Amino acid sequence: MSTRSGPEVAVVTGASAGVGRATAQAFAKRGARVGLLARGRAGLEGARTEVESFGGKALVLPTDVAYAEAVEAAAQRVEEELGPIDVWVNDAMVSVFSPAKEMTPEEYKRVTEVSYLGTVYGTLAALKRMLPRNKGHIVQVGSALAYRAIPLQSAYCGSKHAIQGFTESVRSELIHDRSDVRITMVQLPAVNTPQFGWVRSRLPNNPQPVPPIFQPEVPAEAIYWAAHHDRNELWLAWPAVKAILGNKVIPRELDYYLARTGFDSQQTDEPVGPDRKDNLFEPVDDAEDRGAHGAFDERSLPKSYQWLASTHRTWLAAAGALGLTAAAYAARKR
Ligand SMILES: NC(=O)c1ccc[n+]([C@@H]2O[C@H](COP(=O)([O-])OP(=O)(O)OC[C@H]3O[C@@H](n4cnc5c(N)ncnc54)[C@H](OP(=O)(O)O)[C@@H]3O)[C@@H](O)[C@H]2O)c1
């Protein structure tokens, strides 16, 4: 938790929609000042209105995170207008749903530049400011796919794996330097966000997150929690835990399982409309604010019991110890 007296200053990339949008809300609810980075004006203005309605202060910074100098300029504006950055959340992403054999080199380059290098540039801008103060927390928004890749999303899975490697490396350096700056990666399950309505796709039917699906407020709260605790990683919800651990034990079986199921599970039954637009190179929300939620509200879970357990280990241990003591006492009395 921030130790200075004023409100916390947080930067969220990808703040105009989805998980980033819900994360900006989570910080604003606690009175933070939030630097909002993304490209789409309508989404950014919507995020600003929400942050202010929760009592926070917002700074809208239209930024394409694929450009290091743009990210650096945005960080500078945040510090000038909101104050020293306490927390930097790297959330922005793009993907392409397509078999690798149909992908173009330009698509791989763009996904990597936004989803991986955007995270690197955000981390560099944050470190530049946090290291001299020996204070601050960087949170990478990851995915179970950072460990267990799935078919039809090779560029995105490659980027998430790369973020995981980059983050481990930076963390080791911070520990070597005895720095108090922290870096955490939160590995998400499937989330109900606008992503599936605007991601570039070559699939015949509309893309969907692989169920079970969680509402974006679930990762947003986990990201906020991660920004205020010292954990290497937070694995959010059982599906993510199962995928990450399962891949350590039965990776080849999972290759075959995903070859069988992974094509259908990433599509709905509805064919893609002829006028579908995608957000790979340009935002599609300039006229429309899509908010945090996607089209799957009715199928999405509002909480994760695994996350509650993971973040309340002490309580669980105490409850377990109490239970064991009670059982032992009862056994002695018999
Ligand atoms: N949804 C899931 O099922 C899921 C699962 C696991 C992990 N995640 C992770 O959650 C994070 C957010 O995903 P999401 O589902 O919320 O995606 P989303 O709904 O598509 O939102 C993506 C955000 O990134 C921004 N963005 C895209 N390209 C950008 C660029 N070049 N520069 C700056 N901002 C850019 C978008 O805004 P503009 O278009 O306005 O720029 C938007 O604010 C990602 O890191 C993703 O890997 C999501």
Side-chain angles (χ1 to χ4, degrees), residues 14-19 38-40 63-65 91-94 110 114 141-143 156 160 188-191 193-196 198 209 283 285:
S16 64
V19 172
R39 301 163 303 169
T63 307
D64 188 327
V65 298
D91 167 271
M93 62 81 69
V94 287
R110 178 63 177 165
V114 175
V141 180
S143 165
Y156 171 80
K160 288 291 166 187
L188 272 49
V191 188
T193 66
Q195 178 193 150
F196 305 90
W198 59 28
D285 86 328

PDB file of all heavy atoms in Angstrom, residues 14-19 38-40 63-65 91-94 110 114 141-143 156 160 188-191 193-196 198 209 283 285, ligand 1:
ATOM      1  N   GLY A  14      -4.431  -0.063 -21.697  1.00  0.00           N
ATOM      2  CA  GLY A  14      -5.626  -0.815 -22.098  1.00  0.00           C
ATOM      3  C   GLY A  14      -6.813  -0.462 -21.226  1.00  0.00           C
ATOM      4  O   GLY A  14      -7.682  -1.297 -20.961  1.00  0.00           O
ATOM      5  N   ALA A  15      -6.864   0.809 -20.782  1.00  0.00           N
ATOM      6  CA  ALA A  15      -7.880   1.220 -19.808  1.00  0.00           C
ATOM      7  C   ALA A  15      -9.225   1.542 -20.441  1.00  0.00           C
ATOM      8  O   ALA A  15     -10.192   1.802 -19.731  1.00  0.00           O
ATOM      9  CB  ALA A  15      -7.377   2.444 -19.035  1.00  0.00           C
ATOM     10  N   SER A  16      -9.310   1.525 -21.773  1.00  0.00           N
ATOM     11  CA  SER A  16     -10.573   1.955 -22.405  1.00  0.00           C
ATOM     12  C   SER A  16     -11.622   0.857 -22.419  1.00  0.00           C
ATOM     13  O   SER A  16     -12.786   1.124 -22.682  1.00  0.00           O
ATOM     14  CB  SER A  16     -10.302   2.425 -23.842  1.00  0.00           C
ATOM     15  OG  SER A  16      -9.820   1.345 -24.625  1.00  0.00           O
ATOM     16  N   ALA A  17     -11.230  -0.400 -22.159  1.00  0.00           N
ATOM     17  CA  ALA A  17     -12.198  -1.497 -22.282  1.00  0.00           C
ATOM     18  C   ALA A  17     -11.737  -2.705 -21.472  1.00  0.00           C
ATOM     19  O   ALA A  17     -10.585  -2.782 -21.028  1.00  0.00           O
ATOM     20  CB  ALA A  17     -12.348  -1.896 -23.753  1.00  0.00           C
ATOM     21  N   GLY A  18     -12.671  -3.623 -21.278  1.00  0.00           N
ATOM     22  CA  GLY A  18     -12.338  -4.937 -20.739  1.00  0.00           C
ATOM     23  C   GLY A  18     -11.707  -4.914 -19.357  1.00  0.00           C
ATOM     24  O   GLY A  18     -12.104  -4.131 -18.469  1.00  0.00           O
ATOM     25  N   VAL A  19     -10.708  -5.774 -19.183  1.00  0.00           N
ATOM     26  CA  VAL A  19     -10.059  -5.930 -17.873  1.00  0.00           C
ATOM     27  C   VAL A  19      -9.410  -4.619 -17.428  1.00  0.00           C
ATOM     28  O   VAL A  19      -9.479  -4.243 -16.249  1.00  0.00           O
ATOM     29  CB  VAL A  19      -9.006  -7.065 -17.942  1.00  0.00           C
ATOM     30  CG1 VAL A  19      -8.184  -7.116 -16.664  1.00  0.00           C
ATOM     31  CG2 VAL A  19      -9.674  -8.413 -18.214  1.00  0.00           C
ATOM     32  N   ALA A  38      -4.791   4.102 -23.722  1.00  0.00           N
ATOM     33  CA  ALA A  38      -5.341   3.229 -24.771  1.00  0.00           C
ATOM     34  C   ALA A  38      -5.433   4.120 -25.997  1.00  0.00           C
ATOM     35  O   ALA A  38      -4.971   5.280 -25.971  1.00  0.00           O
ATOM     36  CB  ALA A  38      -6.701   2.654 -24.374  1.00  0.00           C
ATOM     37  N   ARG A  39      -6.053   3.604 -27.068  1.00  0.00           N
ATOM     38  CA  ARG A  39      -6.135   4.418 -28.288  1.00  0.00           C
ATOM     39  C   ARG A  39      -7.521   5.025 -28.470  1.00  0.00           C
ATOM     40  O   ARG A  39      -7.671   6.170 -28.883  1.00  0.00           O
ATOM     41  CB  ARG A  39      -5.791   3.556 -29.516  1.00  0.00           C
ATOM     42  CG  ARG A  39      -4.408   2.940 -29.465  1.00  0.00           C
ATOM     43  CD  ARG A  39      -4.297   1.791 -30.455  1.00  0.00           C
ATOM     44  NE  ARG A  39      -5.318   0.778 -30.195  1.00  0.00           N
ATOM     45  CZ  ARG A  39      -5.620  -0.229 -31.006  1.00  0.00           C
ATOM     46  NH1 ARG A  39      -4.968  -0.358 -32.137  1.00  0.00           N
ATOM     47  NH2 ARG A  39      -6.560  -1.093 -30.688  1.00  0.00           N
ATOM     48  N   GLY A  40      -8.580   4.277 -28.185  1.00  0.00           N
ATOM     49  CA  GLY A  40      -9.932   4.700 -28.532  1.00  0.00           C
ATOM     50  C   GLY A  40     -10.450   5.816 -27.627  1.00  0.00           C
ATOM     51  O   GLY A  40     -10.504   5.675 -26.409  1.00  0.00           O
ATOM     52  N   THR A  63      -2.808   6.726 -26.339  1.00  0.00           N
ATOM     53  CA  THR A  63      -1.440   6.214 -26.532  1.00  0.00           C
ATOM     54  C   THR A  63      -1.503   4.858 -27.221  1.00  0.00           C
ATOM     55  O   THR A  63      -2.288   4.000 -26.817  1.00  0.00           O
ATOM     56  CB  THR A  63      -0.761   6.001 -25.152  1.00  0.00           C
ATOM     57  OG1 THR A  63      -0.851   7.199 -24.385  1.00  0.00           O
ATOM     58  CG2 THR A  63       0.701   5.600 -25.298  1.00  0.00           C
ATOM     59  N   ASP A  64      -0.649   4.667 -28.213  1.00  0.00           N
ATOM     60  CA  ASP A  64      -0.462   3.327 -28.781  1.00  0.00           C
ATOM     61  C   ASP A  64       0.775   2.742 -28.105  1.00  0.00           C
ATOM     62  O   ASP A  64       1.894   3.234 -28.320  1.00  0.00           O
ATOM     63  CB  ASP A  64      -0.281   3.420 -30.303  1.00  0.00           C
ATOM     64  CG  ASP A  64      -0.271   2.043 -30.957  1.00  0.00           C
ATOM     65  OD1 ASP A  64       0.214   1.083 -30.327  1.00  0.00           O
ATOM     66  OD2 ASP A  64      -0.742   1.940 -32.104  1.00  0.00           O
ATOM     67  N   VAL A  65       0.593   1.699 -27.308  1.00  0.00           N
ATOM     68  CA  VAL A  65       1.708   1.189 -26.490  1.00  0.00           C
ATOM     69  C   VAL A  65       2.786   0.491 -27.324  1.00  0.00           C
ATOM     70  O   VAL A  65       3.834   0.116 -26.794  1.00  0.00           O
ATOM     71  CB  VAL A  65       1.230   0.237 -25.360  1.00  0.00           C
ATOM     72  CG1 VAL A  65       0.325   0.950 -24.382  1.00  0.00           C
ATOM     73  CG2 VAL A  65       0.561  -1.014 -25.935  1.00  0.00           C
ATOM     74  N   ASP A  91      -1.757  -3.866 -19.264  1.00  0.00           N
ATOM     75  CA  ASP A  91      -2.931  -4.679 -19.617  1.00  0.00           C
ATOM     76  C   ASP A  91      -3.176  -4.736 -21.127  1.00  0.00           C
ATOM     77  O   ASP A  91      -3.751  -5.698 -21.620  1.00  0.00           O
ATOM     78  CB  ASP A  91      -4.161  -4.081 -18.908  1.00  0.00           C
ATOM     79  CG  ASP A  91      -5.464  -4.641 -19.448  1.00  0.00           C
ATOM     80  OD1 ASP A  91      -6.001  -4.064 -20.426  1.00  0.00           O
ATOM     81  OD2 ASP A  91      -5.957  -5.651 -18.917  1.00  0.00           O
ATOM     82  N   ALA A  92      -2.750  -3.708 -21.874  1.00  0.00           N
ATOM     83  CA  ALA A  92      -3.144  -3.580 -23.288  1.00  0.00           C
ATOM     84  C   ALA A  92      -2.740  -4.809 -24.093  1.00  0.00           C
ATOM     85  O   ALA A  92      -1.653  -5.360 -23.900  1.00  0.00           O
ATOM     86  CB  ALA A  92      -2.503  -2.338 -23.897  1.00  0.00           C
ATOM     87  N   MET A  93      -3.602  -5.225 -24.971  1.00  0.00           N
ATOM     88  CA  MET A  93      -3.307  -6.390 -25.804  1.00  0.00           C
ATOM     89  C   MET A  93      -4.094  -6.358 -27.103  1.00  0.00           C
ATOM     90  O   MET A  93      -5.152  -5.748 -27.184  1.00  0.00           O
ATOM     91  CB  MET A  93      -3.636  -7.703 -25.084  1.00  0.00           C
ATOM     92  CG  MET A  93      -5.091  -7.896 -24.703  1.00  0.00           C
ATOM     93  SD  MET A  93      -6.235  -8.470 -25.986  1.00  0.00           S
ATOM     94  CE  MET A  93      -5.684 -10.115 -26.221  1.00  0.00           C
ATOM     95  N   VAL A  94      -3.542  -7.024 -28.107  1.00  0.00           N
ATOM     96  CA  VAL A  94      -4.301  -7.410 -29.289  1.00  0.00           C
ATOM     97  C   VAL A  94      -3.945  -8.859 -29.595  1.00  0.00           C
ATOM     98  O   VAL A  94      -2.933  -9.380 -29.116  1.00  0.00           O
ATOM     99  CB  VAL A  94      -3.997  -6.526 -30.526  1.00  0.00           C
ATOM    100  CG1 VAL A  94      -4.613  -5.152 -30.390  1.00  0.00           C
ATOM    101  CG2 VAL A  94      -2.499  -6.433 -30.778  1.00  0.00           C
ATOM    102  N   ARG A 110       2.760  -7.118 -35.311  1.00  0.00           N
ATOM    103  CA  ARG A 110       1.883  -6.173 -34.605  1.00  0.00           C
ATOM    104  C   ARG A 110       1.438  -6.729 -33.242  1.00  0.00           C
ATOM    105  O   ARG A 110       1.463  -6.024 -32.245  1.00  0.00           O
ATOM    106  CB  ARG A 110       0.660  -5.855 -35.480  1.00  0.00           C
ATOM    107  CG  ARG A 110      -0.342  -4.917 -34.838  1.00  0.00           C
ATOM    108  CD  ARG A 110       0.225  -3.539 -34.565  1.00  0.00           C
ATOM    109  NE  ARG A 110      -0.823  -2.675 -34.012  1.00  0.00           N
ATOM    110  CZ  ARG A 110      -0.600  -1.524 -33.407  1.00  0.00           C
ATOM    111  NH1 ARG A 110       0.635  -1.042 -33.276  1.00  0.00           N
ATOM    112  NH2 ARG A 110      -1.604  -0.816 -32.940  1.00  0.00           N
ATOM    113  N   VAL A 114       2.445  -4.860 -29.700  1.00  0.00           N
ATOM    114  CA  VAL A 114       1.466  -4.319 -28.736  1.00  0.00           C
ATOM    115  C   VAL A 114       1.493  -5.148 -27.449  1.00  0.00           C
ATOM    116  O   VAL A 114       1.679  -4.619 -26.351  1.00  0.00           O
ATOM    117  CB  VAL A 114       0.036  -4.318 -29.331  1.00  0.00           C
ATOM    118  CG1 VAL A 114      -0.988  -3.875 -28.274  1.00  0.00           C
ATOM    119  CG2 VAL A 114      -0.038  -3.419 -30.555  1.00  0.00           C
ATOM    120  N   VAL A 141      -0.537  -7.961 -16.673  1.00  0.00           N
ATOM    121  CA  VAL A 141      -1.769  -8.747 -16.813  1.00  0.00           C
ATOM    122  C   VAL A 141      -1.460  -9.918 -17.748  1.00  0.00           C
ATOM    123  O   VAL A 141      -1.252  -9.742 -18.944  1.00  0.00           O
ATOM    124  CB  VAL A 141      -2.923  -7.884 -17.337  1.00  0.00           C
ATOM    125  CG1 VAL A 141      -4.179  -8.739 -17.476  1.00  0.00           C
ATOM    126  CG2 VAL A 141      -3.169  -6.714 -16.389  1.00  0.00           C
ATOM    127  N   GLY A 142      -1.399 -11.096 -17.146  1.00  0.00           N
ATOM    128  CA  GLY A 142      -1.040 -12.289 -17.901  1.00  0.00           C
ATOM    129  C   GLY A 142      -2.238 -13.186 -18.112  1.00  0.00           C
ATOM    130  O   GLY A 142      -3.399 -12.765 -18.001  1.00  0.00           O
ATOM    131  N   SER A 143      -1.944 -14.418 -18.400  1.00  0.00           N
ATOM    132  CA  SER A 143      -2.988 -15.378 -18.744  1.00  0.00           C
ATOM    133  C   SER A 143      -2.457 -16.772 -18.449  1.00  0.00           C
ATOM    134  O   SER A 143      -1.241 -16.995 -18.456  1.00  0.00           O
ATOM    135  CB  SER A 143      -3.280 -15.232 -20.244  1.00  0.00           C
ATOM    136  OG  SER A 143      -4.019 -16.328 -20.718  1.00  0.00           O
ATOM    137  N   TYR A 156      -0.528 -14.368 -29.869  1.00  0.00           N
ATOM    138  CA  TYR A 156      -0.875 -13.908 -28.515  1.00  0.00           C
ATOM    139  C   TYR A 156      -0.206 -14.788 -27.456  1.00  0.00           C
ATOM    140  O   TYR A 156       0.371 -14.292 -26.484  1.00  0.00           O
ATOM    141  CB  TYR A 156      -2.398 -13.927 -28.374  1.00  0.00           C
ATOM    142  CG  TYR A 156      -2.925 -13.698 -26.981  1.00  0.00           C
ATOM    143  CD1 TYR A 156      -3.013 -12.419 -26.451  1.00  0.00           C
ATOM    144  CD2 TYR A 156      -3.355 -14.767 -26.197  1.00  0.00           C
ATOM    145  CE1 TYR A 156      -3.510 -12.208 -25.178  1.00  0.00           C
ATOM    146  CE2 TYR A 156      -3.852 -14.560 -24.925  1.00  0.00           C
ATOM    147  CZ  TYR A 156      -3.930 -13.289 -24.419  1.00  0.00           C
ATOM    148  OH  TYR A 156      -4.424 -13.086 -23.160  1.00  0.00           O
ATOM    149  N   LYS A 160       2.411 -13.715 -24.475  1.00  0.00           N
ATOM    150  CA  LYS A 160       2.188 -13.917 -23.028  1.00  0.00           C
ATOM    151  C   LYS A 160       3.327 -14.742 -22.433  1.00  0.00           C
ATOM    152  O   LYS A 160       3.767 -14.483 -21.316  1.00  0.00           O
ATOM    153  CB  LYS A 160       0.828 -14.593 -22.792  1.00  0.00           C
ATOM    154  CG  LYS A 160      -0.352 -13.667 -23.052  1.00  0.00           C
ATOM    155  CD  LYS A 160      -0.442 -12.565 -22.005  1.00  0.00           C
ATOM    156  CE  LYS A 160      -1.369 -11.454 -22.414  1.00  0.00           C
ATOM    157  NZ  LYS A 160      -1.395 -10.283 -21.546  1.00  0.00           N
ATOM    158  N   LEU A 188      -4.596 -14.843 -15.779  1.00  0.00           N
ATOM    159  CA  LEU A 188      -6.064 -14.803 -15.797  1.00  0.00           C
ATOM    160  C   LEU A 188      -6.673 -16.044 -16.451  1.00  0.00           C
ATOM    161  O   LEU A 188      -6.062 -16.635 -17.340  1.00  0.00           O
ATOM    162  CB  LEU A 188      -6.520 -13.571 -16.590  1.00  0.00           C
ATOM    163  CG  LEU A 188      -6.687 -12.241 -15.874  1.00  0.00           C
ATOM    164  CD1 LEU A 188      -5.491 -11.883 -15.025  1.00  0.00           C
ATOM    165  CD2 LEU A 188      -6.988 -11.143 -16.869  1.00  0.00           C
ATOM    166  N   PRO A 189      -7.903 -16.338 -16.062  1.00  0.00           N
ATOM    167  CA  PRO A 189      -8.700 -17.319 -16.817  1.00  0.00           C
ATOM    168  C   PRO A 189      -9.437 -16.586 -17.944  1.00  0.00           C
ATOM    169  O   PRO A 189      -9.118 -15.430 -18.240  1.00  0.00           O
ATOM    170  CB  PRO A 189      -9.694 -17.805 -15.755  1.00  0.00           C
ATOM    171  CG  PRO A 189      -9.949 -16.570 -14.940  1.00  0.00           C
ATOM    172  CD  PRO A 189      -8.662 -15.776 -14.935  1.00  0.00           C
ATOM    173  N   ALA A 190     -10.431 -17.215 -18.551  1.00  0.00           N
ATOM    174  CA  ALA A 190     -11.229 -16.559 -19.589  1.00  0.00           C
ATOM    175  C   ALA A 190     -12.107 -15.468 -18.957  1.00  0.00           C
ATOM    176  O   ALA A 190     -12.675 -15.679 -17.881  1.00  0.00           O
ATOM    177  CB  ALA A 190     -12.111 -17.590 -20.274  1.00  0.00           C
ATOM    178  N   VAL A 191     -12.196 -14.326 -19.635  1.00  0.00           N
ATOM    179  CA  VAL A 191     -12.916 -13.181 -19.068  1.00  0.00           C
ATOM    180  C   VAL A 191     -13.879 -12.616 -20.117  1.00  0.00           C
ATOM    181  O   VAL A 191     -13.552 -12.543 -21.319  1.00  0.00           O
ATOM    182  CB  VAL A 191     -11.923 -12.082 -18.610  1.00  0.00           C
ATOM    183  CG1 VAL A 191     -12.668 -10.982 -17.856  1.00  0.00           C
ATOM    184  CG2 VAL A 191     -10.810 -12.648 -17.739  1.00  0.00           C
ATOM    185  N   THR A 193     -15.026  -9.906 -21.894  1.00  0.00           N
ATOM    186  CA  THR A 193     -14.635  -8.541 -22.267  1.00  0.00           C
ATOM    187  C   THR A 193     -14.989  -8.282 -23.732  1.00  0.00           C
ATOM    188  O   THR A 193     -15.281  -9.225 -24.482  1.00  0.00           O
ATOM    189  CB  THR A 193     -13.111  -8.349 -22.092  1.00  0.00           C
ATOM    190  OG1 THR A 193     -12.452  -9.192 -23.050  1.00  0.00           O
ATOM    191  CG2 THR A 193     -12.645  -8.690 -20.690  1.00  0.00           C
ATOM    192  N   PRO A 194     -14.896  -7.014 -24.170  1.00  0.00           N
ATOM    193  CA  PRO A 194     -15.191  -6.720 -25.589  1.00  0.00           C
ATOM    194  C   PRO A 194     -14.212  -7.365 -26.566  1.00  0.00           C
ATOM    195  O   PRO A 194     -14.465  -7.383 -27.774  1.00  0.00           O
ATOM    196  CB  PRO A 194     -15.083  -5.183 -25.651  1.00  0.00           C
ATOM    197  CG  PRO A 194     -15.313  -4.723 -24.257  1.00  0.00           C
ATOM    198  CD  PRO A 194     -14.738  -5.788 -23.369  1.00  0.00           C
ATOM    199  N   GLN A 195     -13.086  -7.870 -26.068  1.00  0.00           N
ATOM    200  CA  GLN A 195     -12.057  -8.469 -26.932  1.00  0.00           C
ATOM    201  C   GLN A 195     -12.642  -9.339 -28.048  1.00  0.00           C
ATOM    202  O   GLN A 195     -12.225  -9.261 -29.212  1.00  0.00           O
ATOM    203  CB  GLN A 195     -11.113  -9.332 -26.071  1.00  0.00           C
ATOM    204  CG  GLN A 195     -10.054 -10.036 -26.859  1.00  0.00           C
ATOM    205  CD  GLN A 195      -9.308 -11.123 -26.087  1.00  0.00           C
ATOM    206  OE1 GLN A 195      -8.870 -12.078 -26.690  1.00  0.00           O
ATOM    207  NE2 GLN A 195      -9.144 -11.004 -24.776  1.00  0.00           N
ATOM    208  N   PHE A 196     -13.611 -10.160 -27.701  1.00  0.00           N
ATOM    209  CA  PHE A 196     -14.080 -11.185 -28.642  1.00  0.00           C
ATOM    210  C   PHE A 196     -14.960 -10.592 -29.736  1.00  0.00           C
ATOM    211  O   PHE A 196     -15.200 -11.222 -30.753  1.00  0.00           O
ATOM    212  CB  PHE A 196     -14.767 -12.313 -27.855  1.00  0.00           C
ATOM    213  CG  PHE A 196     -13.809 -12.835 -26.805  1.00  0.00           C
ATOM    214  CD1 PHE A 196     -13.783 -12.277 -25.529  1.00  0.00           C
ATOM    215  CD2 PHE A 196     -12.875 -13.794 -27.136  1.00  0.00           C
ATOM    216  CE1 PHE A 196     -12.848 -12.688 -24.588  1.00  0.00           C
ATOM    217  CE2 PHE A 196     -11.933 -14.203 -26.196  1.00  0.00           C
ATOM    218  CZ  PHE A 196     -11.924 -13.650 -24.921  1.00  0.00           C
ATOM    219  N   TRP A 198     -14.058  -7.645 -31.167  1.00  0.00           N
ATOM    220  CA  TRP A 198     -13.257  -6.824 -32.087  1.00  0.00           C
ATOM    221  C   TRP A 198     -11.884  -7.403 -32.406  1.00  0.00           C
ATOM    222  O   TRP A 198     -11.115  -6.811 -33.158  1.00  0.00           O
ATOM    223  CB  TRP A 198     -13.150  -5.390 -31.575  1.00  0.00           C
ATOM    224  CG  TRP A 198     -12.546  -5.169 -30.215  1.00  0.00           C
ATOM    225  CD1 TRP A 198     -11.625  -5.945 -29.557  1.00  0.00           C
ATOM    226  CD2 TRP A 198     -12.778  -4.038 -29.356  1.00  0.00           C
ATOM    227  NE1 TRP A 198     -11.272  -5.386 -28.358  1.00  0.00           N
ATOM    228  CE2 TRP A 198     -11.968  -4.204 -28.203  1.00  0.00           C
ATOM    229  CE3 TRP A 198     -13.572  -2.896 -29.445  1.00  0.00           C
ATOM    230  CZ2 TRP A 198     -11.955  -3.277 -27.151  1.00  0.00           C
ATOM    231  CZ3 TRP A 198     -13.544  -1.987 -28.399  1.00  0.00           C
ATOM    232  CH2 TRP A 198     -12.756  -2.191 -27.267  1.00  0.00           C
ATOM    233  N   PRO A 209     -14.476 -16.478 -25.336  1.00  0.00           N
ATOM    234  CA  PRO A 209     -13.510 -16.978 -24.355  1.00  0.00           C
ATOM    235  C   PRO A 209     -13.848 -18.436 -24.035  1.00  0.00           C
ATOM    236  O   PRO A 209     -15.033 -18.797 -24.044  1.00  0.00           O
ATOM    237  CB  PRO A 209     -13.731 -16.074 -23.141  1.00  0.00           C
ATOM    238  CG  PRO A 209     -15.038 -15.382 -23.361  1.00  0.00           C
ATOM    239  CD  PRO A 209     -15.416 -15.488 -24.790  1.00  0.00           C
ATOM    240  N   PRO A 283      -8.027   1.424 -33.274  1.00  0.00           N
ATOM    241  CA  PRO A 283      -9.141   1.101 -32.371  1.00  0.00           C
ATOM    242  C   PRO A 283     -10.451   1.106 -33.140  1.00  0.00           C
ATOM    243  O   PRO A 283     -10.575   1.833 -34.122  1.00  0.00           O
ATOM    244  CB  PRO A 283      -9.104   2.243 -31.355  1.00  0.00           C
ATOM    245  CG  PRO A 283      -8.456   3.368 -32.074  1.00  0.00           C
ATOM    246  CD  PRO A 283      -7.472   2.760 -33.041  1.00  0.00           C
ATOM    247  N   ASP A 285     -13.381   1.653 -31.450  1.00  0.00           N
ATOM    248  CA  ASP A 285     -14.410   2.216 -30.574  1.00  0.00           C
ATOM    249  C   ASP A 285     -14.511   3.726 -30.672  1.00  0.00           C
ATOM    250  O   ASP A 285     -15.134   4.349 -29.834  1.00  0.00           O
ATOM    251  CB  ASP A 285     -14.141   1.813 -29.121  1.00  0.00           C
ATOM    252  CG  ASP A 285     -13.193   2.768 -28.437  1.00  0.00           C
ATOM    253  OD1 ASP A 285     -12.311   3.309 -29.129  1.00  0.00           O
ATOM    254  OD2 ASP A 285     -13.349   2.995 -27.230  1.00  0.00           O
TER     255      ASP A 285
HETATM  256  N1  LIG B   1     -10.555 -11.711 -21.930  1.00  0.00           N
HETATM  257  C1  LIG B   1      -9.938 -12.830 -21.629  1.00  0.00           C
HETATM  258  O1  LIG B   1     -10.502 -13.940 -21.760  1.00  0.00           O
HETATM  259  C2  LIG B   1      -8.546 -12.799 -21.087  1.00  0.00           C
HETATM  260  C3  LIG B   1      -8.002 -13.990 -20.615  1.00  0.00           C
HETATM  261  C4  LIG B   1      -6.721 -13.999 -20.090  1.00  0.00           C
HETATM  262  C5  LIG B   1      -6.002 -12.822 -20.060  1.00  0.00           C
HETATM  263  N2  LIG B   1      -6.527 -11.662 -20.548  1.00  0.00           N
HETATM  264  C6  LIG B   1      -5.704 -10.469 -20.504  1.00  0.00           C
HETATM  265  O2  LIG B   1      -6.438  -9.346 -20.076  1.00  0.00           O
HETATM  266  C7  LIG B   1      -5.908  -8.167 -20.688  1.00  0.00           C
HETATM  267  C8  LIG B   1      -7.017  -7.383 -21.302  1.00  0.00           C
HETATM  268  O3  LIG B   1      -7.730  -8.185 -22.242  1.00  0.00           O
HETATM  269  P1  LIG B   1      -9.249  -7.882 -22.577  1.00  0.00           P
HETATM  270  O4  LIG B   1      -9.917  -9.173 -22.802  1.00  0.00           O
HETATM  271  O5  LIG B   1      -9.787  -6.904 -21.597  1.00  0.00           O
HETATM  272  O6  LIG B   1      -9.077  -7.182 -24.008  1.00  0.00           O
HETATM  273  P2  LIG B   1      -9.984  -6.061 -24.728  1.00  0.00           P
HETATM  274  O7  LIG B   1     -11.369  -6.112 -24.217  1.00  0.00           O
HETATM  275  O8  LIG B   1      -9.763  -6.245 -26.186  1.00  0.00           O
HETATM  276  O9  LIG B   1      -9.281  -4.728 -24.240  1.00  0.00           O
HETATM  277  C9  LIG B   1      -7.985  -4.478 -24.677  1.00  0.00           C
HETATM  278  C10 LIG B   1      -7.552  -3.111 -24.241  1.00  0.00           C
HETATM  279  O10 LIG B   1      -6.255  -2.848 -24.813  1.00  0.00           O
HETATM  280  C11 LIG B   1      -6.316  -1.642 -25.551  1.00  0.00           C
HETATM  281  N3  LIG B   1      -5.376  -1.671 -26.671  1.00  0.00           N
HETATM  282  C12 LIG B   1      -5.375  -2.497 -27.746  1.00  0.00           C
HETATM  283  N4  LIG B   1      -4.349  -2.192 -28.544  1.00  0.00           N
HETATM  284  C13 LIG B   1      -3.700  -1.149 -27.972  1.00  0.00           C
HETATM  285  C14 LIG B   1      -2.562  -0.392 -28.319  1.00  0.00           C
HETATM  286  N5  LIG B   1      -1.882  -0.608 -29.456  1.00  0.00           N
HETATM  287  N6  LIG B   1      -2.161   0.606 -27.488  1.00  0.00           N
HETATM  288  C15 LIG B   1      -2.856   0.864 -26.355  1.00  0.00           C
HETATM  289  N7  LIG B   1      -3.927   0.179 -25.967  1.00  0.00           N
HETATM  290  C16 LIG B   1      -4.350  -0.822 -26.772  1.00  0.00           C
HETATM  291  C17 LIG B   1      -7.770  -1.539 -26.006  1.00  0.00           C
HETATM  292  O11 LIG B   1      -8.153  -0.219 -26.247  1.00  0.00           O
HETATM  293  P3  LIG B   1      -8.065   0.565 -27.643  1.00  0.00           P
HETATM  294  O12 LIG B   1      -8.525  -0.360 -28.713  1.00  0.00           O
HETATM  295  O13 LIG B   1      -8.981   1.698 -27.366  1.00  0.00           O
HETATM  296  O14 LIG B   1      -6.649   0.989 -27.805  1.00  0.00           O
HETATM  297  C18 LIG B   1      -8.478  -2.037 -24.749  1.00  0.00           C
HETATM  298  O15 LIG B   1      -8.539  -0.993 -23.811  1.00  0.00           O
HETATM  299  C19 LIG B   1      -4.865  -8.632 -21.701  1.00  0.00           C
HETATM  300  O16 LIG B   1      -3.570  -8.478 -21.169  1.00  0.00           O
HETATM  301  C20 LIG B   1      -5.197 -10.091 -21.890  1.00  0.00           C
HETATM  302  O17 LIG B   1      -4.056 -10.829 -22.245  1.00  0.00           O
HETATM  303  C21 LIG B   1      -7.792 -11.635 -21.044  1.00  0.00           C
END
